[in-house]
Amino acid sequence: MTQLTVFYDGTCPLCVAEMDRLRELNGQNKLDFADIYMPDFEKQYPSIDVAAANLILHAQWQDGSMIYGLDVTVAAWQQVNKHKWLKVLRFPVIKPLADWVYLFFAKNRYSISKLILGQYRCTSNSCELPKNNVAANNKRPSDD
C-alpha cells in the first residue's frame, strides 16, 4: 500500500534517475511517483502547486500531510529500506547546511545533470520511467 507519493520534476535527468532507482526498489509499493509536468497533473493533484513543486521536492503521506526537500529524499529512501545514513542530514547540527546544499542543487539541477549525466533536460522520449510507473506514459516538455 502506498505510504508516500513523491511529486518530482520529470524534465530533470537526475531527478528521473533517482525516481527510477526508487521505483526499482519499491517492491512493497510503499511509494508512488507523479511527474509534476505530466499533462493532467493539476487535475489529478489540484492541491499541489506546480510552481512550488518545481522549486523544491514535494511529497504527500497517505494521511495527506506534506513534506518537502531533503525530508522527501530521506523518507523515500527509508520507505525502500536503503541509504539509512541519509537520516544524518536531518540531525539539528547538520540540517541547516544540508538544506542549503539541497536548495543549491534544486536551483541548479539541470546544469548539474548536464555535468553528471551529459543531458541538461529530458525530452518526450528521454529519461522516461518504465511503463509500470504512474508518470511513464506522459510526455514531458522539451527544453526548446
Side-chain angles (χ1 to χ4, degrees), residues 117-141:
L117 300 176
Q119 186 174 10
Y120 184 73
R121 291 193 63 161
C122 300
T123 60
S124 61
N125 294 322
S126 67
C127 302
E128 200 164 287
L129 293 175
K131 295 295 180 199
N132 63 347
N133 184 279
V134 169
N137 294 320
N138 300 298
K139 292 189 177 189
R140 295 170 178 87

Side-chain angles (χ1 to χ4, degrees), residues 10-17 108-128 140-143:
T11 70
C12 167
L14 281 173
C15 305
V16 172
N108 297 287
R109 65 188 178 271
Y110 303 119
S111 297
I112 295 168
S113 290
K114 178 71 171 170
L115 285 172
I116 294 173
L117 300 176
Q119 186 174 10
Y120 184 73
R121 291 193 63 161
C122 300
T123 60
S124 61
N125 294 322
S126 67
C127 302
E128 200 164 287
R140 295 170 178 87
S142 68
D143 50 328

Side-chain angles (χ1 to χ4, degrees), residues 15-57:
C15 305
V16 172
E18 182 175 16
M19 294 308 117
D20 190 30
R21 183 67 181 133
L22 284 164
R23 184 204 51 79
E24 290 171 3
L25 297 167
N26 191 29
Q28 295 180 331
N29 295 317
K30 290 184 177 182
L31 298 173
D32 201 359
F33 308 94
D35 178 351
I36 63 172
Y37 290 113
M38 65 182 170
D40 60 346
F41 180 84
E42 291 175 346
K43 187 182 287 186
Q44 287 187 33
Y45 302 99
S47 65
I48 305 300
D49 179 342
V50 173
N54 185 51
L55 295 175
I56 185 170
L57 189 60

